[in-house]
Amino acid sequence: MNAKVDLTETNRVKDAAPAINVSPSPHIGSTSNSTRRMMIDVLIALTPAVAMAIYMFRVYALIHLGLCVATCLAAEYLFVRMRGKSISLNDFSAAVTGVILALSMPATAPWYASVIASAVAIGLGKIIFGGLGMNIFNPAMVGRAFVMISFAGAMGAAAYESGAGWVDAISQATPMNALKQAGALTPIGDMFLGLTNGSLGETSALACLLGGLYLCYRRTASWEIPAGMIATVLVITGIVDLVGGHGGRLILHHLFGGALLFGAFFIATDPVSSPLTPRGKAIFGIGIGALVMLLRFLSGYPEGVMFAVLLMNAVTPLINRWTIPRTFGEY
Amino acid sequence: MELLQSKDLPGKGSFSHGIHPPDNKSLSRDAAIEVVPTPKRVVLPLLQNIGVPSKSIVQPKKQVVAGEAIGVGEAFISTNLHSPINGVVENTGVCTLPNGRHLPAIYIKAEGEQLSGQALYEDVLGGPWPKDCPAIYYPSTISKAIHEAGIVGLGGAAFPTHVKVRPDDTKMIDTLMINGCECEPYLTNDYRVMLEAPGAIIAGALHGARAVSAREIIIGVEDNKPAAIERLKKEAEGTVIKIAVLKTKYPQGSEKQLIKAVLGLEVPLGGLPSDVGVAMSNVGTMAAIARGVIREKPLTHRVITVTGRGVSNPKNLLVPIGLSMQDAIDYCGGLTKDAARIIAGGPMMGFAFSNLSMPVTKGTSGITVLTHDDVRKENETSCVRCGRCVDVCPMQLVPTKLAMASRHGNLSLAHQYNIMACFECGCCTYVCPAHIKLVQLIRMGKAMVVASRK
Ligand code: SF4
Ligand code: SF4
């Protein structure tokens, strides 16, 4: 009797045996957490900015978004195939690069600028280093910098002002250019909501804040980076504002006009090209903020976020080395 | 009121970093400890502690009674081994443990009358546990009794307890720190012991503290176990024992993290708790000490949790050491259809195994059976350098750097980033969005470092 019971018991476990797998600990993992989920988070966070871009720049926004995303995906597919690696489109990282790149373009930039920028972003910005996670520089900014230097005329101030009359905003100067060229201050409310000219996704401070706070809440973006950037800009413009007697408007202008918030939340926070430790991230953010102010005040360009991010990307490996945390129990 | 109790302790009730995995303790939390019927056979590996195997002192066909010594620990870091049942030595063969080690073992077949059911429960955990007698023993008498009883740390590491409680002139111990955190998800065996046998824990703690001449005795319990905290407090009234209420967080029960959380002290890198004047053990071990010293009974039984959604009826069990995993699982209604991974211990640090004939050892805190849905996904992608692993490492390491250094065999980089400080808690792997097997790589790196030192 007993023996028989035992046998069936053993058989039952044997039946289950093929499904039993063995692997080293830990055996559980955080379920809401994957690279893909992080990229989807970024796409979700970008929706307010995308919506605002489409509202403000209509077909121009659609054209650049379409071109950038399509080219990024195609380039990723092509280059990854060339390197003989398995296709990585489903991690959505190429799509994220496409959307961020499109949102950093001026509305009336020539179509080929978007295409070339995207191909360069993926090819030179990412795949050449070995793909996702291996790149040193923010891919979107590599692409953006490439076309900005190659087609300086078509991508400069002119691209922001040559627009067709039926999209009102495009015929104005961007807030940062107006400030730089004429010392003119754009109404703060317009800049906050995004009713001004500028790169497609950067005009609405509100949209950037909404998406950015979501990203920080999800911990997909490390809050130390935008906090460091914004705090630095506040301090520097605060001093200049006080000295120049602008009554606070210069601070808000530098904060809400231009690409500062878009850059702080969506570009600088790219995990791959930013430092690893909280302290490193804060240093990185402060560095970008300081460079942005340096470029805005002293360079020939009205804006400085793109170059500031690229410069700090270059320093990231060093920051990582400087900020090795003190191990528990190490004196 | 609970917080008041920890306020007079210097620690903050927590350490920095760590994770909050779903604890899943409700599966077995309310299941009172049940005594499993005496099995037909027990298998006792000769190595049930960190250190040197015990030496067998029995031959096949020898009659043994429950509690009789069948192995002796001759080396310093080794323990004695006793038969948990009345029976006959069948043979001395080999058996495999969940961690993959093959070990010589003694097989004992049950024969004759057995102590079982309520009587066994009373013998191990029940009854009165006098609190006032430690003074009647010399410290050395207590540590000798602990040595005789073959007691090891029941939290999982299985370090011989007599080595820890040995009076030592070179390292003064001020505090006996008792770990009742049970921070591993799923496991509830320590919780049940705290609830059902707080008297044994308190008595064991008093005796243990006398053995090491510690003036302070603190039991640390996570705040997700309010009932256990109440029971221990009540039992500890009139003694010097303090109960520290800690934040629920993994790995709160790791010794260095617990000392930081309660006493605010950092055990130096590469050091031991004794370097900051602390002796550390867990609550189950205290109950074993009480039984060993007061009742002069060796460690032959322990409480384990058999749990997880892959087990039909999760339970807490009082089992003889040497019971097969199969018997324990069968007693809980067997595996379910979607059982996918069987783990000795909890899901964060336990070993997965597939051979159910393996025995429960002194260090087995439980068996967790996960289903396909519970098991961590392992489709690894590239590190996106998000730094989440850095944000959770309780040792404040940079796990991604350690893993990459290991992968590329870069020992000097591994050394620069203090690879040996990793105690393999798994927090980094738990959070990694790229599903990189960080701990596995780090473990490999540690092995390389050790090998290179030789
Ligand atoms: S958590 Fe994973 S992906 Fe993120 S830095 Fe660490 S190893 Fe890389
Ligand atoms: S590096 Fe080691 S100690 Fe740090 S989280 Fe990972 S496993 Fe735990």
Side-chain angles (χ1 to χ4, degrees):
Chain A
M1 256 298 270
N2 268 346
K4 202 176 165 201
V5 171
D6 270 356
L7 199 66
T8 48
E9 283 297 329
T10 336
N11 279 343
R12 200 163 50 70
V13 171
K14 267 206 188 117
D15 286 345
I20 300 296
N21 54 54
V22 178
S23 178
S25 62
H27 305 285
I28 52 173
S30 158
T31 43
S32 61
N33 208 3
S34 67
T35 312
R36 189 181 149 144
R37 178 63 219 252
M38 287 175 82
M39 297 300 165
I40 293 173
D41 271 345
V42 180
L43 292 176
I44 293 172
L46 283 166
T47 36
V50 167
M52 202 55 207
I54 295 173
Y55 172 73
M56 282 302 292
F57 301 102
R58 314 289 154 105
V59 70
Y60 293 99
L62 291 171
I63 290 173
H64 289 295
L65 278 164
L67 283 173
C68 286
V69 173
T71 313
C72 280
L73 292 176
E76 174 100 5
Y77 181 82
L78 202 75
F79 292 137
V80 171
R81 275 287 286 272
M82 278 164 56
R83 292 180 67 240
K85 296 265 166 119
S86 63
I87 301 302
S88 49
L89 291 183
N90 59 1
D91 68 16
F92 288 109
S93 63
V96 166
T97 303
V99 176
I100 289 178
L101 189 52
L103 292 181
S104 72
M105 298 298 271
T108 56
W111 65 271
Y112 54 82
S114 273
V115 172
I116 294 174
S118 303
V120 169
I122 299 295
L124 283 184
K126 183 169 155 192
I127 305 295
I128 216 175
F129 291 101
L132 179 66
M134 306 296 178
N135 45 303
I136 297 171
F137 296 102
N138 183 313
M141 290 304 102
V142 170
R144 180 72 173 78
F146 186 86
V147 288
M148 180 148 168
I149 293 163
S150 309
F151 313 112
M155 294 293 293
Y160 290 95
E161 287 163 34
S162 65
W166 58 274
V167 179
D168 288 345
I170 309 187
S171 46
Q172 309 156 3
T174 66
M176 296 319 287
N177 218 17
L179 177 68
K180 183 118 199 163
Q181 303 304 332
L185 291 169
T186 313
I188 303 298
D190 286 358
M191 286 192 296
F192 187 69
L193 294 174
L195 309 174
T196 61
N197 198 0
S199 294
L200 293 172
E202 75 184 26
T203 62
S204 172
L206 179 66
C208 294
L209 275 173
L210 278 179
L213 293 179
Y214 168 77
L215 275 191
C216 292
Y217 165 75
R218 286 279 308 158
R219 308 192 50 128
T220 295
S222 306
W223 63 269
E224 292 92 344
I225 297 174
M229 258 175 92
I230 293 168
T232 309
V233 169
L234 280 181
V235 168
I236 297 178
T237 52
I239 294 169
V240 176
D241 193 299
L242 266 184
V243 172
H246 294 282
R249 276 174 306 150
L250 190 72
I251 306 183
L252 295 175
H253 208 280
H254 275 281
L255 206 57
F256 297 150
L260 186 81
L261 292 181
F262 184 73
F265 286 112
F266 299 108
I267 298 174
T269 53
D270 167 32
V272 176
S273 50
S274 60
L276 279 169
T277 62
R279 207 149 52 93
K281 285 167 180 166
I283 294 173
F284 181 77
I286 293 169
I288 295 178
L291 284 172
V292 167
M293 294 323 296
L294 196 74
L295 291 167
R296 280 184 179 177
F297 284 139
L298 301 179
S299 80
Y301 294 104
E303 185 51 273
V305 172
M306 176 183 77
F307 285 122
V309 170
L310 287 171
L311 282 168
M312 288 309 288
N313 284 166
V315 193
T316 294
L318 271 181
I319 299 180
N320 278 338
R321 223 167 304 157
W322 293 331
T323 56
I324 299 179
R326 183 191 70 95
T327 304
F328 185 97
E330 188 178 48
Y331 293 105
Chain B
M1 188 203 140
E2 278 150 20
L3 282 172
L4 276 182
Q5 191 105 23
S6 16
K7 266 208 188 116
D8 57 340
L9 294 166
K12 293 202 171 74
S14 188
F15 59 95
S16 48
H17 302 180
I19 55 172
H20 296 93
D23 74 3
N24 282 307
K25 291 185 190 272
S26 57
L27 288 171
S28 56
R29 177 185 287 146
D30 299 324
I33 299 170
E34 288 179 41
V35 181
V36 295
T38 310
K40 282 192 278 250
R41 169 184 297 120
V42 288
V43 179
L44 297 144
L46 283 165
L47 182 60
Q48 304 216 16
N49 55 263
I50 284 188
V52 183
S54 328
K55 196 169 142 268
S56 167
I57 51 168
V58 288
Q59 298 298 325
K61 300 218 179 68
K62 181 182 182 327
Q63 295 271 348
V64 291
V65 294
E68 182 179 335
I70 54 173
V72 289
E74 288 175 330
F76 176 48
I77 302 189
S78 183
T79 49
N80 298 338
L81 189 59
H82 307 81
S83 174
I85 57 173
N86 296 323
V88 181
V89 176
E90 277 188 318
N91 57 354
T92 47
V94 205
C95 81
T96 317
L97 289 189
N99 63 13
R101 284 185 77 160
H102 297 284
L103 292 170
I106 301 172
Y107 289 67
I108 298 173
K109 198 167 110 205
E111 223 176 72
E113 286 280 295
Q114 304 287 353
L115 192 62
S116 64
Q118 191 58 31
L120 181 62
Y121 183 94
E122 286 303 317
D123 186 64
V124 181
L125 294 172
W129 295 99
K131 280 182 253 181
D132 50 0
C133 58
I136 64 172
Y137 298 102
Y138 289 114
S140 59
T141 318
I142 299 175
S143 48
K144 193 155 162 279
I146 291 170
H147 191 179
E148 290 292 313
I151 296 171
V152 303
L154 300 185
F159 189 83
T161 304
H162 68 267
V163 181
K164 280 195 187 174
V165 299
R166 181 178 46 104
D168 183 346
D169 298 335
T170 59
K171 279 183 184 168
M172 296 294 285
I173 298 295
D174 310 307
T175 310
L176 175 64
M177 183 75 237
I178 299 159
N179 179 0
C181 289
E182 200 164 48
C183 60
E184 267 275 0
Y186 291 91
L187 299 183
T188 56
N189 54 308
D190 281 348
Y191 174 72
R192 285 315 304 186
V193 174
M194 288 188 268
L195 216 56
E196 296 184 34
I201 294 170
I202 299 295
L206 292 167
H207 287 86
R210 171 123 178 110
V212 289
S213 309
R215 277 174 295 117
E216 271 215 280
I217 310 173
I218 304 169
I219 308 182
V221 189
E222 284 186 324
D223 59 12
N224 63 344
K225 304 176 184 71
I229 293 166
E230 273 322 298
R231 296 284 285 144
L232 286 173
K233 264 187 194 163
K234 197 139 165 264
E235 200 66 40
E237 256 163 40
T239 70
V240 298
I241 298 176
K242 288 187 193 142
I243 315 295
V245 181
L246 302 165
K247 231 172 111 186
T248 300
K249 191 185 199 183
Y250 177 86
Q252 189 69 269
S254 144
E255 59 183 21
K256 291 185 180 181
Q257 275 59 39
L258 187 55
I259 290 171
K260 174 79 185 180
V262 175
L263 301 170
L265 297 171
E266 272 188 35
V267 176
L269 196 62
L272 294 168
S274 55
D275 294 332
V276 290
V278 178
M280 171 79 90
S281 197
N282 93 324
V283 285
T285 316
M286 290 305 125
I289 289 178
R291 183 169 183 251
V293 178
I294 300 171
R295 299 186 182 168
E296 296 177 18
K297 293 272 173 69
L299 177 65
T300 51
H301 289 75
R302 66 160 298 153
V303 179
I304 65 169
T305 306
V306 181
T307 182
R309 274 173 279 270
V311 171
S312 301
N313 310 311
K315 286 178 197 290
N316 297 293
L317 304 176
L318 178 64
V319 302
I321 286 153
L323 180 84
S324 78
M325 301 281 193
Q326 176 83 67
D327 286 345
I329 289 174
D330 284 347
Y331 185 77
C332 297
L335 301 176
T336 62
K337 274 215 177 60
D338 53 351
R341 189 168 300 168
I342 310 175
I343 302 155
M348 290 302 298
M349 293 184 80
F351 289 99
F353 62 97
S354 59
N355 174 4
L356 289 177
S357 68
M358 281 186 233
V360 169
T361 61
K362 292 179 182 177
T364 309
S365 47
I367 304 171
T368 309
V369 186
L370 301 181
T371 64
H372 289 282
D373 291 343
D374 302 327
V375 172
R376 190 175 72 86
K377 293 184 194 62
E378 286 180 336
N379 43 345
E380 179 175 328
T381 54
S382 314
C383 167
V384 288
R385 297 191 241 157
C386 61
R388 287 188 189 185
C389 51
V390 183
D391 295 343
V392 299
C393 176
M395 291 305 290
Q396 285 140 46
L397 299 167
V398 185
T400 174
K401 289 277 183 194
L402 297 177
M404 295 313 135
S406 308
R407 184 172 267 167
H408 300 128
N410 186 342
L411 293 190
S412 67
L413 190 66
H415 191 75
Q416 190 193 349
Y417 280 89
N418 282 332
I419 194 167
M420 294 314 280
C422 167
F423 66 104
E424 306 178 15
C425 66
C427 292
C428 50
T429 313
Y430 179 87
V431 294
C432 176
H435 305 306
I436 299 171
K437 298 171 187 161
L438 293 163
V439 200
Q440 205 180 340
L441 289 165
I442 295 171
R443 228 175 253 146
M444 196 178 87
K446 283 167 72 178
M448 287 190 293
V449 171
V450 171
S452 76
R453 279 185 190 156
K454 282 188 181 147

